[in-house]
């Protein structure tokens, strides 16, 4: 039987690359995000290219009701094998005292509360099946806190903590939990962080070869294809020019 993955934040970056990677390997998909048009385009592209089924679900992970309305009691989700909690963002890069409360709230509501809502909505399916795998996308920003990273770093540090907590509490249900912590990767991430300032976003990736979205997709795919008795609990990945949040070699 074909395997099935639900990916949040599939309209761009890592999530979109994961959708391609899993589809290429014959997995059926549920792709989610807020931008319906992009998700429909992705769905059309994948179904035309690969022999797979793609279900689009549009919701904002910040909105608890939308999440549970979209994901609860849907028999098309009964056989989901893997959930990838990928939807997330940074907003602003400001000193703590100068940062905007609205940016903080959006990051907390998306990166942390959104991940909790989606996980909680999907767990009944996994628990009923007595198996499942949750991949949570954290960041090197959660490993070493950097200047002006404050709340973004805090949300990603929380992703690691929550992943560890899930791993422990899900042991009895035989559900795997893996946190993947990528370093700098060129996606729409920095354009979003700098609120549409593409010039500023480009400077983040100048002078070195950052990770590509496909690198993260390959890693997620590797983690979910390990034998049933093996689970990667936490994984940090960076491009070769980056050692951690602080050490990045630019030409
Ligand atoms: P992108 O901006 O390219 O993609 C982000 C995705 O998240 C989009 O598909 C977006 O969809 C979705 N998303 C954002 N907010 C919401 C929301 N409220 N509800 C539903 N979906 C939402 O960034 P990346 O692919 O780079 O980022 C993916 C994840 O990886 C994030 O969690 C990010 O923090 C993390 N990360 C990124 C790194 C990088 O350097 N790029 C490094 C380490 C971690 P839509 O707008 O359609 O809702
Ligand atoms: C994204 C990587 O270094 O911009 O999580 O925080 S970084």
């Amino acid at each position: 039987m074909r395997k099935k993955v639900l990916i949040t934040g599939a309209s761009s970056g890592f999530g979109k690359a994961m959708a391609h990677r899993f589809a290429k390997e014959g997995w059926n998909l549920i792709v989610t995000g807020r931008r319906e048009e992009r998700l429909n385009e992705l769905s059309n592209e994948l179904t035309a290219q690969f022999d797979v089924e793609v279900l689009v679900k549009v919701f904002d992970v910040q909105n608890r009701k939308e999440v549970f309305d979209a994901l609860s009691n849907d028999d098309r989700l009964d056989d989901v094998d893997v959930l990838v909690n990928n939807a997330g963002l940074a907003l602003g890069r400001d000193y703590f005292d100068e940062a905007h409360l609205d940016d903080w709230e959006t990051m907390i509501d998306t990166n942390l509360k959104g991940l909790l809502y989606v996980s909680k909505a999907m767990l009944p399916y996994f628990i009923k099946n007595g198996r499942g795998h949750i991949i949570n996308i954290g960041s090197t920003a959660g490993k070493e806190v950097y200047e002006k990273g404050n709340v973004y770093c805090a949300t990603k540090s929380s992703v690691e903590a929550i992943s560890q907590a899930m791993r422990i509490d899900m042991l009895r249900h035989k559900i795997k939990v893996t946190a993947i912590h990528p370093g700098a990767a060129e996606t729409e991430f920095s354009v979003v962080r700098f609120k549409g300032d593409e010039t500023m976003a480009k400077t983040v990736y100048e002078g070195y070869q950052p990770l590509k979205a496909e690198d993260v997709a390959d890693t997620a795919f590797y983690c979910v294809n390990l034998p049933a008795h093996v689970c990667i609990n936490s994984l940090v990945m960076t491009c070769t020019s980056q050692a951690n949040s602080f050490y990045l070699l630019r030409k």
Side-chain angles (χ1 to χ4, degrees), residues 9-15 33-35 59-62 86-90 110-111 137-140 152 156 182-189 192 205:
S11 56
S12 171
F14 298 168
R34 292 166 300 180
R35 286 171 289 179
F59 59 88
D60 183 336
V61 298
Q62 297 174 87
N86 162 73
L89 79 175
T110 309
N111 301 353
I137 303 298
S139 170
T140 46
Y152 178 65
K156 290 302 183 177
E186 193 161 5
T187 60
E188 291 176 16
F189 174 84
V192 172
Y205 309 108

Side-chain angles (χ1 to χ4, degrees), residues 8-251:
T8 67
S11 56
S12 171
F14 298 168
K16 187 175 178 184
M18 285 183 217
H20 275 271
R21 183 71 171 93
F22 281 82
K24 191 176 153 202
E25 306 291 341
W27 285 54
N28 291 331
L29 298 103
I30 298 119
V31 291
T32 83
R34 292 166 300 180
R35 286 171 289 179
E36 186 169 13
E37 204 178 317
R38 280 198 184 202
L39 293 170
N40 286 334
E41 269 171 34
L42 176 67
S43 167
N44 292 339
E45 196 183 328
L46 295 178
T47 45
Q49 210 176 336
F50 308 107
D51 175 28
V52 294
E53 287 168 16
V54 182
L55 176 64
V56 169
K57 282 195 178 263
V58 180
F59 59 88
D60 183 336
V61 298
Q62 297 174 87
N63 187 316
R64 177 171 162 174
K65 184 175 181 317
E66 275 186 31
V67 171
F68 283 89
D69 285 352
L71 300 180
S72 302
N73 304 315
D74 184 341
D75 56 16
R76 294 169 299 178
L77 305 187
D78 280 347
D79 56 348
V80 171
D81 298 283
V82 175
L83 160 66
V84 185
N85 280 312
N86 162 73
L89 79 175
L91 273 181
R93 195 156 172 182
D94 304 295
Y95 287 118
F96 188 90
D97 52 307
E98 293 171 357
H100 303 283
L101 284 172
D102 284 347
D103 289 348
W104 284 359
E105 283 181 8
T106 304
M107 288 188 279
I108 292 167
D109 289 351
T110 309
N111 301 353
L112 187 52
K113 290 168 72 179
L115 180 149
L116 296 176
Y117 296 157
V118 173
S119 303
K120 201 82 164 82
M122 289 304 298
L123 274 170
Y125 302 106
F126 289 164
I127 290 171
K128 195 171 166 205
N129 294 337
R131 63 179 171 79
H133 194 161
I134 300 175
I135 304 274
N136 292 327
I137 303 298
S139 170
T140 46
K143 294 282 162 184
E144 301 91 22
V145 175
Y146 52 79
E147 187 180 65
K148 301 180 180 174
N150 43 69
V151 170
Y152 178 65
C153 295
T155 63
K156 290 302 183 177
S157 179
S158 300
V159 170
E160 172 63 16
I162 288 292
S163 300
Q164 286 183 26
M166 282 181 172
R167 178 85 177 95
I168 295 164
D169 291 349
M170 291 306 112
L171 272 178
R172 70 197 202 289
H173 295 301
K174 303 185 170 51
I175 296 167
K176 295 186 190 183
V177 181
T178 301
I180 299 179
H181 300 285
E186 193 161 5
T187 60
E188 291 176 16
F189 174 84
S190 290
V191 177
V192 172
R193 177 172 225 171
F194 297 115
K195 302 172 183 176
D197 185 339
E198 302 211 358
T199 312
M200 184 76 150
K202 272 206 182 329
T203 63
V204 175
Y205 309 108
E206 268 169 16
Y208 68 103
Q209 164 69 67
L211 288 175
K212 293 183 278 188
E214 290 74 17
D215 301 321
V216 178
D218 287 345
T219 303
F221 192 75
Y222 169 78
C223 289
V224 306
N225 280 287
L226 288 165
H229 69 287
V230 181
C231 181
I232 291 184
N233 300 321
S234 184
L235 182 156
V236 179
M237 61 180 293
T238 60
C239 66
T240 307
S241 299
Q242 181 175 27
N244 62 24
S245 289
F246 303 124
Y247 291 92
L248 176 61
L249 188 68
R250 293 180 200 256
K251 276 192 220 113

